[in-house]
Amino acid sequence: MGLAFSAFGLPGWSSIPTGQVYDQYFKDKKTDSFEAFHVAYVEFCKDFNTVLPGQDFDTPSLEKIQKFYDDTWKLINEDQEKKKAFMDYIRDNVKEAAVDDSLFIMAGLAAPAGAIVLKRTGQSIPQLKRLDLLPNVLFVPLFTLAAIMGATAVQMKQRSRHT
């Protein structure tokens, strides 16, 4: 059936043999054009990132995928060789996304104090007087959660800009 994904250093995938992954996404699909291969590859990557919640994997650029297709995939006719070449490519080129936790830590530490300052400022600014309707017990956690979600959005936008 093939090697287990744990051999690639991907935790949680040890029960899914790579042979099954290859068979599901590539074996029975027509991948004789780059467009068809790329659709299968994108489907693989989408499922790959959704199976492990909280973990993301950076995939290679379109140029690298095109190069793999032209230099390797297109030249191989035997299914077993394609499977081995694809799994070698995935092992070498798909890396776990690096996450900078400092942004989340700073947002988590600064948000509660910011929430209290905002609420006190709201007592003297008419547009923010409505914040007094929410008790601190609800307002501070909600504000902190919103700050962490904002930090996540900023980090995702920066990552998508770099790829």
Side-chain angles (χ1 to χ4, degrees), residues 89-109:
Y89 178 76
I90 292 298
R91 184 182 315 119
D92 295 339
N93 292 291
V94 175
K95 307 291 182 205
E96 188 172 347
V99 177
D100 183 17
D101 289 336
S102 63
L103 188 61
F104 300 115
I105 292 170
M106 288 174 38
L109 291 174

Side-chain angles (χ1 to χ4, degrees), residues 7-8 10 41 58-60 64 68 84-96:
F8 305 124
L10 303 175
Y41 187 86
D58 289 333
T59 58
K64 281 186 176 181
F68 168 75
K84 183 182 180 331
F86 179 73
M87 295 319 297
D88 289 343
Y89 178 76
I90 292 298
R91 184 182 315 119
D92 295 339
N93 292 291
V94 175
K95 307 291 182 205
E96 188 172 347

Side-chain angles (χ1 to χ4, degrees), residues 104 107-108 111-112 115 138-153:
F104 300 115
L138 288 176
F139 183 71
V140 173
L142 288 174
F143 190 84
T144 304
L145 181 63
I148 291 173
M149 287 172 42
T152 303

Side-chain angles (χ1 to χ4, degrees), residues 26-94:
F26 294 96
K27 185 176 182 179
D28 297 328
K29 294 186 179 177
K30 297 280 186 206
T31 55
D32 42 348
S33 71
F34 177 70
E35 290 76 20
F37 174 80
H38 191 250
V39 166
Y41 187 86
V42 168
E43 186 178 310
F44 163 75
C45 290
K46 181 184 73 120
D47 288 351
F48 192 70
N49 276 330
T50 57
V51 168
L52 295 173
Q55 277 189 317
D56 286 324
F57 297 91
D58 289 333
T59 58
S61 66
L62 182 61
E63 293 80 24
K64 281 186 176 181
I65 297 169
Q66 176 83 49
K67 183 173 173 27
F68 168 75
Y69 178 81
D70 291 337
D71 296 347
T72 308
W73 187 267
K74 202 165 46 171
L75 304 175
I76 301 174
N77 292 328
E78 188 180 324
D79 208 35
Q80 281 301 110
E81 288 181 38
K82 278 189 175 185
K83 181 189 296 187
K84 183 182 180 331
F86 179 73
M87 295 319 297
D88 289 343
Y89 178 76
I90 292 298
R91 184 182 315 119
D92 295 339
N93 292 291
V94 175

Side-chain angles (χ1 to χ4, degrees), residues 118-129:
L118 180 67
K119 200 150 183 206
R120 287 206 179 146
T121 305
Q123 293 171 352
S124 60
I125 299 174
Q127 291 87 349
L128 298 177
K129 274 225 187 259

